[in-house]
Amino acid sequence: KEQWEPTIERIFLTQASKERHHQIREAWSFDWQNHGEAALVNEEILRDRPEGVSIYIWAPAIVDFVQSSRMAGHRIVPLGHSAGAGAMMLTTKNFPLSHLPYVSLVLIEPTMITREMFEAHFDDRIRSMEMSVGATEVRRDVWPDREEAFRWLSRRFPFRTWDPRVVRLLVEHGLHQKFPDSKTVTLKCDRKQEAISYPDVDGHFEATTELARVCRTLPVHVIWGTSNDMFPDYFQDSLADATQGRIVASASRVHGAGHLVMQEKPDHLALKICEALDTISPYLSLRSRL
């Protein structure tokens, strides 16, 4: 979750000089239950979950926070990247259209697709998932210390394409000391837990269906990178297919970025997010939907 910090910082700075209703009060980021610090908190439970953690499990945890007293009366805009986009989309699932808890929603390089489109391009999708799984399973995950981890990652794909601030945040917050009396560090997110998430597609099918349900009531913005290194045009086009009821408020692109746009171009991504935030009416509130 800490990888969001450069993007969040630029959003705050950009919106600070604008009208009060476009300024940002606060921002929260969430680890998936088997990623980052959450992976350590849930370490024992995850040992008994070889099937990983579905976005079906992530989404309700976010809903609990959204419905907490901490967020009461706030104009909330969820942002989700990659699988996080599907998770954020699923958080609207159990709300009637008249009681959606958000004023807008931003999906960034979402892994959402219809079942029909997935099956129509089955071989291509399976090949892409198998490549992601294979690369994850053999990725190096232990380093003698944090500085060596930073140097190694900075020279290797895909990390060498990232903003150095994000690589540093990964090293500081995505790794932990393997043994208390040693500087050796390893990934907090177990490689097997990450790898098993790629073939887990059902939640992303349902998230696409949910987009069609809420998009006429809730403005949904989609942001892609200009490099289709993960999702081809047919994948992206299907998400904004108005003939299937999926009408997005805007679709924009961050130049020079691929699927990992939040890691590669955090400042440019922030500006695209701010463009979406600026379209929210000052008169739109949760009460106006009741």
Side-chain angles (χ1 to χ4, degrees), residues 225-245:
T226 53
S227 174
N228 296 354
D229 55 353
M230 184 70 73
F231 304 123
D233 288 339
Y234 71 79
F235 193 111
Q236 300 180 19
D237 293 343
S238 72
L239 199 62
D241 187 350
T243 66
Q244 299 298 314

Side-chain angles (χ1 to χ4, degrees), residues 125-250:
R125 290 294 85 211
I126 293 299
R127 184 165 52 251
S128 177
M129 287 192 298
E130 287 178 344
M131 287 178 60
S132 296
V133 170
T136 300
E137 288 179 335
V138 299
R139 181 191 301 149
R140 182 178 180 181
D141 65 345
V142 177
W143 295 268
D145 56 50
R146 291 185 192 276
E147 283 308 310
E148 175 57 25
F150 179 77
R151 287 191 293 269
W152 189 91
L153 291 167
S154 297
R155 296 193 300 264
R156 282 359 185 245
F157 182 83
F159 310 100
R160 66 172 180 247
T161 68
W162 292 15
D163 185 296
R165 294 171 296 172
V166 183
V167 180
R168 179 62 70 183
L169 286 164
L170 173 63
V171 170
E172 293 301 318
H173 300 283
L175 308 180
H176 72 113
Q177 288 182 231
K178 194 169 186 180
F179 306 106
D181 58 348
S182 171
K183 292 183 178 181
T184 301
V185 291
T186 187
L187 294 170
K188 290 179 179 177
C189 178
D190 183 87
R191 290 180 300 182
K192 292 179 181 178
Q193 285 286 324
E194 179 184 351
I196 200 64
S197 68
Y198 293 112
D200 187 14
V201 295
D202 285 347
H204 303 284
F205 296 155
E206 187 163 353
T208 310
T209 301
E210 182 63 10
L211 170 62
R213 184 182 78 92
V214 306
C215 64
R216 289 179 176 83
T217 303
L218 180 70
V220 179
H221 302 267
V222 183
I223 302 173
W224 302 98
T226 53
S227 174
N228 296 354
D229 55 353
M230 184 70 73
F231 304 123
D233 288 339
Y234 71 79
F235 193 111
Q236 300 180 19
D237 293 343
S238 72
L239 199 62
D241 187 350
T243 66
Q244 299 298 314
R246 295 183 292 278
I247 303 171
V248 298
S250 73

Side-chain angles (χ1 to χ4, degrees), residues 53-85:
V53 180
S54 166
I55 63 171
Y56 281 124
I57 296 174
W58 193 9
I62 298 169
V63 171
D64 284 346
F65 180 80
V66 168
Q67 293 186 300
S68 70
S69 59
R70 184 185 295 276
M71 303 303 287
H74 292 188
R75 287 162 28 109
I76 305 172
V77 181
L79 314 175
H81 172 252
S82 193

Side-chain angles (χ1 to χ4, degrees), residues 267-278:
D267 292 311
H268 295 78
L269 173 61
L271 295 178
K272 291 297 181 182
I273 293 169
C274 289
E275 290 176 8
L277 297 176
D278 286 346

